[in-house]
Amino acid sequence: MGIAFDGGKNFNVVAGIDDHATKSLMKENTLIPMGSATKIYTAIAIMQLYEKGLVDIDRPVHEIVDPFLQRTNSTTLLELWGGDETINRVTVRELMGMRGCLSDYDDQALQNFVLDPSNAGVTINPYDYLHTWAKKSFLCEPGTGGSYSSIGFVLLGLVGASSTNATEWTDFDQKSIFPDPLRQDLDSLMFSLGGRCSVTIQNVSHQHAATFTSNGYWSTIHWEDIYNFDCLNGWTMGNIAASASNTAAALYHLFSPNTKTPLVSQDSLKQMMDFKPLTVGWSVGLEYGLGMMRADYFHSEGVSSNFTTFVGHAGQDYGSSAFLHEYNDALDVAITLNSNTEYGMNCSFEPIMENFQDSTELGCQIWDNIVQIATNGTVSHLTCSGEKSSSSRRRLSSHHHRRQLAAQLPLHCDEPCSGDSADLDPKECMWSSLF
């Protein structure tokens, strides 16, 4: 966990196991892949180019990226989208705000490919996403609705590369958004350009991906350490790896009126914070700006929403997560809560399903303590569990696991019916084991 406050002061709190094979522990400078948390930094990069007059964010994307695509990949957006002229009407602003209405990639199919041991270390580059993984369809007419699409942020990476005269996509310097000396201060924050995490990122965490199998009687969670898998994670849609304190500091310098190192102008920030609800696809109703979300994560009766509403961008990879990567205006505090697993790994929970709410419950309890300290206990405690807990955080935390557990079978860790991980009683275990 990292917190930034009071003009940019920040600190880290670290706990837990990094490598379960050796029982080595997490460290303050351990970098954790944070997936879609990358998107806010991609939007910052585009807005900085906009401020310099290098990008017109209301210009159709194809006019900017087609020359780059033709030179580096011998194609155009229109060719990639099979001649559908709709792609040529999508603007840069619409991509940043999830208003381009692009269909996203098939997450389940991609997960199956990425977590296949035979594909360990395979880099899926931006062109692979555009040629192979992107669904070439639209969920609505661009500009008329909102649909979450990571593919749009791959295209924004090409906007950045093209507008900075990059020779190849790998030449686009994502960390250039941080001015000196802030760039040096954020020494535990980087953007991967591909390759095995274990080889290409110093001090990167082990990441523990959950996969599920079923025999018709129970579902079993299997944990796989993907430390030696590729770390590109979709480039400008998901390639950040960082310590919690570094990303909390970065968000503080984006949002806080008290920073001495603002990352964008007030006009740009105002445009980024023009929130509109997603209307189709994942998380309908979620308010999305330009590369950022706004949500009342910890809505609690008797507590002003000023204390529980955040702006920022959460993220998940298949083996890590950042449930909180947010800024709260009322307290002028930025917070990151990230983990080297997508779900909790405590197989002694009864029921074991509690693992799927671990980040949300922990995040709420941490934030409740911060609110109490900052307000000298004048604000009521937050509601951090049960049916009255915030629907926003339940929705955001359930992106993957509801799909995986649709069968609603009894759930176990690794070996069913053994040790503390079994939810079945001994008689049921014995009976099930006969089949």
Side-chain angles (χ1 to χ4, degrees):
M1 178 193 72
I3 295 175
F5 62 103
D6 191 18
K9 298 175 183 175
N10 67 86
F11 67 88
N12 234 8
V13 176
V14 182
I17 295 174
D18 179 17
D19 182 356
H20 283 263
T22 65
K23 306 303 181 185
S24 62
L25 301 179
M26 300 289 286
K27 299 177 181 178
E28 289 187 13
N29 65 342
T30 299
L31 281 67
I32 298 177
M34 295 170 56
S36 287
T38 307
K39 291 181 173 66
I40 196 167
Y41 301 105
T42 300
I44 292 170
I46 299 301
M47 294 308 291
Q48 288 182 351
L49 292 171
Y50 159 76
E51 291 173 8
K52 295 173 181 176
L54 297 176
V55 171
D56 178 354
I57 61 175
D58 292 309
R59 186 180 178 189
V61 175
H62 80 95
E63 295 181 4
I64 302 172
V65 305
D66 275 356
F68 186 85
L69 278 172
Q70 288 174 317
R71 178 172 57 79
T72 61
N73 198 242
S74 302
T75 190
T76 66
L77 288 186
L78 186 61
E79 290 171 353
L80 284 167
W81 261 258
D84 187 343
E85 293 280 353
T86 307
I87 191 64
N88 283 353
R89 297 196 293 273
V90 178
T91 68
V92 176
R93 185 191 298 272
E94 288 168 349
L95 289 184
M96 285 193 289
M98 300 295 183
R99 313 298 289 183
C101 294
L102 277 69
S103 295
D104 214 351
Y105 60 87
D106 184 332
D107 185 63
Q108 182 64 69
L110 183 65
Q111 183 182 34
N112 292 341
F113 180 88
V114 169
L115 297 184
D116 184 336
S118 65
N119 296 325
V122 173
T123 295
I124 305 174
N125 67 39
Y127 304 128
D128 295 328
Y129 274 95
L130 297 180
H131 283 279
T132 304
W133 296 100
K135 296 178 181 178
K136 311 306 192 303
S137 60
F138 294 85
L139 300 180
C140 53
E141 179 65 24
T144 67
S147 60
Y148 191 92
S149 175
S150 292
I151 292 298
F153 274 74
V154 176
L155 296 180
L156 287 170
L158 296 178
V159 170
S162 177
S163 301
T164 55
N165 296 316
T167 301
E168 302 289 344
W169 65 268
T170 51
D171 297 320
F172 178 46
D173 183 3
Q174 293 169 263
K175 201 170 179 181
S176 67
I177 62 173
F178 303 116
D180 290 328
L182 181 58
R183 183 167 178 164
Q184 279 70 43
D185 291 341
L186 301 178
D187 58 356
S188 294
L189 185 158
M190 62 88 67
F191 298 94
S192 172
L193 290 177
R196 296 177 186 268
C197 298
S198 57
V199 175
T200 60
I201 304 179
Q202 186 176 6
N203 298 325
V204 72
S205 69
H206 288 252
Q207 302 126 58
H208 305 282
T211 57
F212 301 80
T213 57
S214 172
N215 65 0
Y217 298 97
W218 59 69
S219 293
T220 304
I221 309 176
H222 307 274
W223 299 103
E224 181 174 6
D225 188 344
I226 57 174
Y227 178 64
N228 288 312
F229 284 52
D230 186 72
C231 244
L232 183 59
N233 296 333
W235 190 37
T236 43
M237 77 178 187
N239 67 337
I240 191 171
S243 69
S245 64
N246 272 205
T247 49
L251 289 184
Y252 189 88
H253 292 298
L254 172 63
F255 290 111
S256 176
N258 297 311
T259 177
K260 293 182 174 60
T261 316
L263 298 183
V264 297
S265 68
Q266 284 302 301
D267 174 68
S268 291
L269 184 59
K270 182 179 179 181
Q271 293 189 62
M272 293 177 77
M273 296 181 70
D274 180 17
F275 295 97
K276 296 180 175 67
L278 301 181
T279 60
V280 62
W282 174 74
S283 205
V284 168
L286 175 67
E287 293 185 303
Y288 206 93
L290 303 185
M292 63 179 69
M293 306 169 174
R294 179 173 64 189
D296 185 349
Y297 277 13
F298 306 127
H299 175 77
S300 301
E301 292 183 11
V303 178
S304 169
S305 62
N306 291 337
F307 295 111
T308 56
T309 298
F310 298 84
V311 290
H313 208 299
Q316 284 182 329
D317 281 331
Y318 298 131
S320 55
S321 64
F323 166 65
L324 288 180
H325 174 237
E326 313 290 338
Y327 172 80
N328 175 261
D329 179 67
L331 299 184
D332 189 30
V333 170
I335 180 171
T336 294
L337 178 64
N338 55 5
S339 171
N340 65 336
T341 178
E342 186 178 358
Y343 314 122
M345 297 177 69
N346 188 342
C347 293
S348 65
F349 272 148
E350 292 287 350
I352 201 172
M353 291 289 290
E354 290 295 317
N355 279 285
F356 298 107
Q357 296 295 328
D358 70 316
S359 292
T360 61
E361 300 304 324
L362 180 59
C364 183
Q365 292 173 30
I366 290 171
W367 188 248
D368 180 53
N369 278 277
I370 292 172
V371 172
Q372 295 304 311
I373 293 171
T375 64
N376 293 315
T378 59
V379 173
S380 299
H381 283 281
L382 306 183
T383 303
C384 290
S385 61
E387 290 300 316
K388 294 184 179 180
S389 60
S390 168
S391 60
S392 293
R393 74 174 183 270
R394 290 199 303 271
R395 178 178 65 234
L396 289 171
S397 69
S398 63
H399 186 188
H400 296 305
H401 81 261
R402 291 188 187 280
R403 175 194 66 216
Q404 300 278 16
L405 302 177
Q408 296 297 307
L409 297 171
L411 187 65
H412 310 268
C413 282
D414 288 326
E415 294 299 326
C417 304
S418 65
D420 292 335
S421 69
D423 283 346
L424 299 179
D425 63 37
K427 290 182 180 178
E428 191 173 1
C429 272
M430 185 177 296
W431 179 82
S432 296
S433 67
L434 297 176
F435 292 84

